[in-house]
Amino acid sequence: MLKEIEIQNFRCFEKIKISGFERVNLIGGKNNAGKTALLEALFLNVAPKASSLAMLKELRREPSKAIEAMPDRAWDNLFYELKKDRFIVIIGKDDNNNTDQVEIKVEINSLKSIIIIEFMRNKDKSTSSLTKVPARRLMSYDISTIDEIPIIPSFIRSSGKKLTEAYDNARLDEKDSEILKAFQVIDPTIESVESFSIGEPTLYLRRKGEKRFPLSLFGDAMNRVAYIMLKLVSNKHKILLIDEIENGIHYTSQRDFWRVLFRLAVELDTQIFATTHSLEMLQAFADVGLEPNQECSSAYFELAKKPKTNQIIGIRRDLETLNYALEHQKGVRGE
């Protein structure tokens, strides 16, 4: 399980070190404080591949036409203040003090720009790999597997076909009951989930006393929960990264939803990192984490900028401290 990450020259981070990660971690802060960038750095730490960079561009909806027109500048925004003459460095440390270090650099010559990715384990290069890929080639990478990566963006809804395929895999693994339980958090009248492949694979839900209806008719909350839960139960990376976890989930359902995530994080041996802007979601997180029989460890991390240097820092708050701040209306989101 990851306990610490250090990031240099990546996105909005000149240099930041955050320690004390737990099984479930919630991240808050003002807009442009680096919450999404932190999730991206965590992703690159677990999947240090050239295709991961292409997937990050797709997740940010960066226009492919502009990238094709200016290939030498296409990757500038990965680097702090566009300083691509320096390496991006991402170092992760787990609870056994093992370290994974990823270094990324753009090398430009007269003919083309090259993306260089070096991965080292334990800094002694006992496990080491070096990849050099022409930057232009990254734009032709097959990103059809984007639904398999452990990031859930704030705005993308997965296709019905992909969700149905993921549900069928969960059913084969005897995990489909967890999907139903999560749906019932949002709507307790849901009594069954089924997949059909008539025309296009589609998930159908049935409420008590009603006919089946396709998942797409149940609104954003149900689709969001389906996406999160199916990613969680089928996760190969043992890490799940959720941007703006509150999206679509009514405040009255948030505590029960956290209970599901806390329980499955332990049962599936998966570490969860989520971002939020919502005070209600923060309070629900603290309440569930402080429940007497809670077995899952958790912590809250606030990203904020130093007034004098404008450098982003990460402040860890245990749940007692977080709850006290919320009860006394103290700033906990980078205020």
Side-chain angles (χ1 to χ4, degrees), residues 10-11 36-37 40 52-71 73-79 82 138-139 143 146 155-156:
F10 179 68
R11 297 289 196 194
T36 301
E40 292 179 336
S52 297
L53 297 177
M55 288 181 179
L56 290 184
K57 282 199 168 290
E58 179 69 13
L59 289 173
R60 288 205 175 223
R61 293 180 171 179
E62 296 185 27
S64 58
K65 295 292 184 182
I67 295 169
E68 292 170 6
M70 300 180 292
R73 297 172 59 184
W75 307 95
D76 290 8
N77 60 11
L78 288 175
F79 297 81
L82 311 182
L138 278 184
M139 301 327 308
I143 56 171
I146 198 166
F155 53 83
I156 291 180

Side-chain angles (χ1 to χ4, degrees), residues 5 18 48 97 109 138 153 206-207 210 217 219 233 311 329:
I5 193 165
I18 305 175
N97 286 324
N109 58 35
L138 278 184
R206 188 206 296 268
R207 289 191 179 105
E210 296 184 5
L217 298 182
V233 301
Q311 187 176 21
Q329 298 182 345

Side-chain angles (χ1 to χ4, degrees), residues 144-173:
S144 62
T145 58
I146 198 166
D147 279 316
E148 298 176 11
I149 71 174
I151 296 182
I152 298 176
S154 61
F155 53 83
I156 291 180
R157 177 190 281 198
S158 186
S159 70
K161 180 181 178 181
K162 291 289 186 181
L163 287 176
T164 305
E165 290 173 352
Y167 176 76
D168 286 341
N169 287 329
R171 188 168 58 171
L172 282 174
D173 292 336

Side-chain angles (χ1 to χ4, degrees), residues 255-274:
R255 284 169 181 78
D256 285 338
F257 188 55
W258 277 122
R259 290 185 185 103
V260 171
L261 293 181
F262 276 48
R263 176 175 58 81
L264 288 178
V266 174
E267 291 179 7
L268 301 174
D269 188 25
T270 297
Q271 193 170 17
I272 296 174
F273 294 84

Side-chain angles (χ1 to χ4, degrees), residues 1-7 16-22 25-27 38 42 91-94 97 271 273 298-303 313-318:
M1 188 168 71
L2 189 68
K3 297 300 290 184
E4 177 182 291
I5 193 165
E6 183 176 346
I7 307 165
I16 188 172
K17 185 176 183 179
I18 305 175
S19 303
F21 293 136
E22 301 292 350
N25 306 276
L26 188 58
I27 302 153
L38 176 56
L42 290 164
I91 304 171
K93 181 183 291 186
D94 66 18
N97 286 324
Q271 193 170 17
F273 294 84
S298 56
Y300 174 65
F301 296 85
E302 180 183 348
L303 298 183
I313 58 172
I315 305 164
R316 184 188 190 277
R317 296 179 187 266
D318 58 42

